Amino acid sequence: MASGLVFGPALAWSIAAIAGLAYAGGRADAWGPLERRGAAVAGSDACRACHPAQHDTWARSYHRTMTQRAEGAAVLAPFAGEHVDHLGFRATMTRTAEGRPHVRVAAIDDEGGASGPPLLDVDVVMTVGSHRYQQYLAQIDRGGGPGEVWRLPVAWHVATARWIPMNAAFLEPEGARGDADAYLRHLSRWNDNCVLCHNTEPRPGMAQGTGDAPRFDTTVGELGIACEACHGPAGAHLQRHADPFRRLLTGGAGDGSIAHPGRLSPRDESGVCGRCHGNRISADVAAVLRDGDGFLPGTDLASVSRPIFRDATVGGEALFSERFWPDGTPRLSAYEYQGLLLSPCHQDGRAGGLGCDDCHAMHGDRPDMQVRPDRLGDRACTSCHVPEDLSLGARHGGHGEKVTCQGCHTPRITYGLLEGMIGHRIAVPRPQAWIGRHDQPDACTQCHVDRSRTWAAEALPRLGFPGPGPLPAPAPDEAWGSRVQLDLAGGDPLQRVLAIHALARPEVPVDVAARRAWITDALDDEYPAVRWFAWRALRKLASPEQAALVAAYDPHAEAEQRVPAADALRGAFGRGPFTPEQREVLEARQERTVLWIGE
């Protein structure tokens, strides 16, 4: 009797558990093929119940905050009456009586007073980004219906805690003062642009409106880049795993009801990232603008789109060459996927090849760049290329601890988000290939900023590498200064910003005072983004006593305020190495390439 009271409930539970497991194990719908495409989006809160640790790491990532409602702590800018002037227009950021962020843009006269009706006078409804800078969205019906949303022409730069005009975040010449079209060039529609990569399961919902204007009924499964952006819609997965016995039987091995990037081939796993980190041309643009891009994580990205490369065409016309260096290497962010595809380590996505997940961890403890702890620094390469495989042992190349593998094999020759960034094309430095040319930076002289490519090529044998063979004759002007100096004074806008970025890096083996003097030549550049780079670099390199002098220079101010401040900085820091005649030749070369490209 007593033993029955003690063991009876346990026995009953055991029988029930065995029966439940047997039932779950025998159900065809619990184990058979499952149609994931078109499954309902469950939302990240539904994932947290079973995956709390993964939910927590995702919640601390910049992916989660990519798009948010403009409420509370999501809004990084003060919106407390600040203003930024640009091209004869003043954007003023305030809050409504209800506390909503508000942006008003109006023309100003020469004295800074309001002139005419506002170009914009709108409440902010959403934010985009939270890492480098934060952009703001407002509902504005410009013919696309009440659901039309537009990115505003100002943004909050996080590191410097200041407002910037969006024109200055892109590589383009400065517009004319008073030109409203130039000022509003980056008033971009969110519904058929930003929504596609910055949200989960986006559907632009574009339909034909009256006349030529399309109308939008845009929806997203979830704002920001949430769980189902990488794993696919989870509705069917949740339904299948609602049975606790079914979950026990899987043992955490997965069952195909959801995509797990870590279990995919390098090709398909990298395609999950390449969907947004590699600009693409869709197979059916009309379908994308109506229903979304059609990509299902865990399937072949190439089935719905093709990545843009230097020679990609649309309608037979090559439109993208300016986004790549002459050898095909991407020179803008949002082309990291292309860099990987061009790398021999990727091995065309076959098993054993390098994929995004080998270096990056979506659920790690490092939100900034999300690099795996065991892949930091040289370990990104030595995890595969063990020291015994390298010609010079653990410090292959003879550079010492200061230079990592990435410094030479993925140099900082990429521009994006007002930063110089490492490229994702893994390659061997060959400075000899670019002697006599002015169209692409190389890894060696981006660090040795006071040297030429001829010097770099001749140094290879001294470092233990094979000799470069007969070298091309340098161009006559390569005797005037170093490669970075020539790029800064005569390169295209992207070369100029990357030259400045190289000069500001702490590991550069050149005296700070010399680098400050070289940078001052860029303070009057026609491109606001180049001036911004110069200002930030001088902020970094200035002594405490010089900080006020740098602060007096505003890269976005009108020329009459900006030029005297630039002259004062040149008076304090000096100028670049070129004679006036040389500078004139190099500045004329700048005009050969006029870029109008974004991130």
Side-chain angles (χ1 to χ4, degrees):
M1 178 72 175
S3 62
L5 290 174
V6 173
F7 295 108
L11 181 61
W13 277 111
S14 297
I15 293 171
I18 292 169
L21 289 169
Y23 174 72
R27 284 171 48 206
D29 66 329
W31 300 98
L34 181 70
E35 179 52 58
R36 294 172 50 228
R37 190 176 297 278
V41 175
S44 54
D45 285 344
C47 303
R48 176 166 43 188
C50 294
H51 306 284
Q54 290 86 349
H55 187 280
D56 179 62
T57 53
W58 163 77
R60 289 186 277 110
S61 74
Y62 293 111
H63 283 85
R64 178 188 66 81
T65 56
M66 185 55 69
T67 306
Q68 303 176 88
R69 299 288 178 196
E71 300 168 352
V75 181
L76 300 182
F79 283 92
E82 319 90 69
H83 72 266
V84 58
D85 294 348
H86 184 61
L87 299 185
F89 297 90
R90 173 169 294 172
T92 305
M93 282 58 72
T94 58
R95 290 185 181 268
T96 66
E98 297 77 21
R100 290 191 296 272
H102 188 87
V103 175
R104 186 179 192 274
V105 176
I108 53 175
D109 57 28
D110 292 340
E111 285 71 43
S115 175
L119 296 181
L120 296 169
D121 200 4
V122 292
D123 290 348
V124 174
V125 296
M126 286 184 286
T127 69
V128 175
S130 64
H131 188 193
R132 307 290 188 186
Y133 51 71
Q134 186 169 73
Q135 302 171 64
Y136 298 99
L137 308 175
Q139 280 185 285
I140 310 172
D141 186 351
R142 305 183 83 201
E148 202 173 16
V149 176
W150 292 80
R151 178 183 65 186
L152 298 177
V154 290
W156 178 255
H157 191 267
V158 176
T160 59
R162 63 176 282 166
W163 287 96
I164 58 172
M166 285 304 299
N167 304 62
F170 297 89
L171 286 171
E172 60 183 44
E174 188 149 66
R177 177 181 171 82
D179 185 341
D181 290 336
Y183 183 87
L184 296 177
R185 183 174 295 119
H186 297 293
L187 180 72
S188 300
R189 191 164 51 202
W190 174 81
N191 306 74
D192 54 350
N193 187 355
C194 324
V195 69
L196 289 165
C197 273
H198 294 166
N199 297 280
T200 303
E201 288 294 307
R203 179 183 176 275
M206 189 175 86
Q208 184 60 48
T210 56
D212 296 330
R215 293 184 67 82
F216 292 91
D217 182 17
T218 304
T219 61
V220 299
E222 186 169 356
L223 288 176
I225 302 166
C227 310
E228 289 156 291
C230 299
H231 297 281
H237 176 73
L238 286 171
Q239 185 177 15
R240 174 169 279 187
H241 286 266
D243 183 344
F245 297 110
R246 170 69 179 71
R247 295 201 301 273
L248 285 171
L249 288 172
T250 63
D255 64 350
S257 63
I258 200 82
H260 190 311
R263 295 171 182 156
L264 300 174
S265 69
R267 176 187 176 90
D268 289 344
E269 164 249 303
S270 300
V272 172
C273 304
R275 177 188 198 174
C276 292
H277 290 277
N279 281 346
R280 301 169 292 127
I281 300 172
S282 298
D284 187 341
V285 175
V288 171
L289 295 178
R290 185 181 62 248
D291 301 318
D293 68 2
F295 175 65
L296 180 67
T299 64
D300 186 3
L301 181 63
S303 67
V304 297
S305 62
R306 57 188 169 102
I308 293 171
F309 288 102
R310 179 177 171 84
D311 58 356
T313 60
V314 175
E317 186 176 359
L319 301 175
F320 308 103
S321 61
E322 290 180 342
R323 305 181 188 187
F324 299 84
W325 297 112
D327 71 350
T329 300
R331 59 182 190 161
L332 299 175
S333 62
Y335 290 85
E336 293 82 7
Y337 180 59
Q338 281 88 332
L340 175 68
L341 296 181
L342 291 167
S343 300
C345 299
H346 184 55
Q347 298 181 22
D348 294 323
R350 297 187 300 270
L354 184 73
C356 304
D357 196 56
D358 287 301
C359 294
H360 297 280
M362 284 296 296
H363 295 293
D365 59 355
R366 299 175 62 87
D368 191 6
M369 313 316 291
Q370 297 188 275
V371 178
R372 291 184 177 279
D374 60 346
R375 294 293 187 271
L376 294 171
D378 287 341
R379 287 179 292 177
C381 300
T382 57
S383 58
C384 293
H385 301 280
V386 295
E388 294 78 37
D389 295 336
L390 304 176
S391 60
L392 298 178
R395 293 315 309 163
H396 162 75
H399 283 86
E401 297 295 329
K402 183 177 288 188
V403 179
T404 65
C405 303
Q406 293 97 314
C408 295
H409 296 286
T410 56
R412 294 178 178 272
I413 58 171
T414 300
Y415 167 82
L417 300 167
L418 288 172
E419 296 287 348
M421 302 178 178
I422 67 167
H424 278 65
R425 183 181 189 176
I426 302 167
V428 175
R430 298 186 69 248
Q432 62 270 30
W434 305 106
I435 294 172
R437 298 173 58 170
H438 301 296
D439 52 10
Q440 180 165 346
D442 67 277
C444 303
T445 60
Q446 284 294 103
C447 185
H448 295 281
V449 296
D450 58 340
R451 300 291 188 172
S452 69
R453 287 183 175 134
T454 299
W455 173 89
E458 292 173 342
L460 293 175
R462 297 197 297 273
L463 297 172
F465 297 119
L471 297 178
D477 55 13
E478 287 185 275
W480 296 353
S482 71
R483 180 69 260 160
V484 161
Q485 291 170 336
L486 292 167
D487 282 351
L488 177 59
D492 70 26
L494 215 151
Q495 290 173 283
R496 301 202 295 272
V497 297
L498 292 176
I500 297 168
H501 183 265
L503 291 169
R505 288 162 55 191
E507 67 269 28
V508 169
V510 176
D511 181 71
V512 168
R515 290 185 273 148
R516 282 197 303 250
W518 302 346
I519 291 168
T520 62
D521 278 346
L523 294 172
D524 293 326
D525 201 279
E526 181 188 5
Y527 282 66
V530 178
R531 301 197 301 262
W532 169 270
F533 266 75
W535 171 74
R536 286 194 72 192
L538 291 177
R539 285 183 79 204
K540 184 182 294 186
L541 299 177
S543 68
E545 296 75 23
Q546 297 164 334
L549 197 61
V550 178
Y553 173 84
D554 181 352
H556 306 139
E558 301 289 349
E560 53 265 29
Q561 289 87 41
R562 193 179 68 242
V563 171
D567 289 340
L569 286 168
R570 282 188 282 268
F573 296 152
R575 294 201 64 155
F578 304 112
T579 66
E581 294 76 19
Q582 291 170 341
R583 191 176 295 113
E584 183 178 356
V585 171
L586 293 170
E587 289 175 353
R589 183 187 296 155
Q590 290 183 12
E591 299 174 4
R592 297 179 190 173
T593 305
V594 179
L595 297 183
W596 298 80
I597 53 178
E599 299 162 342

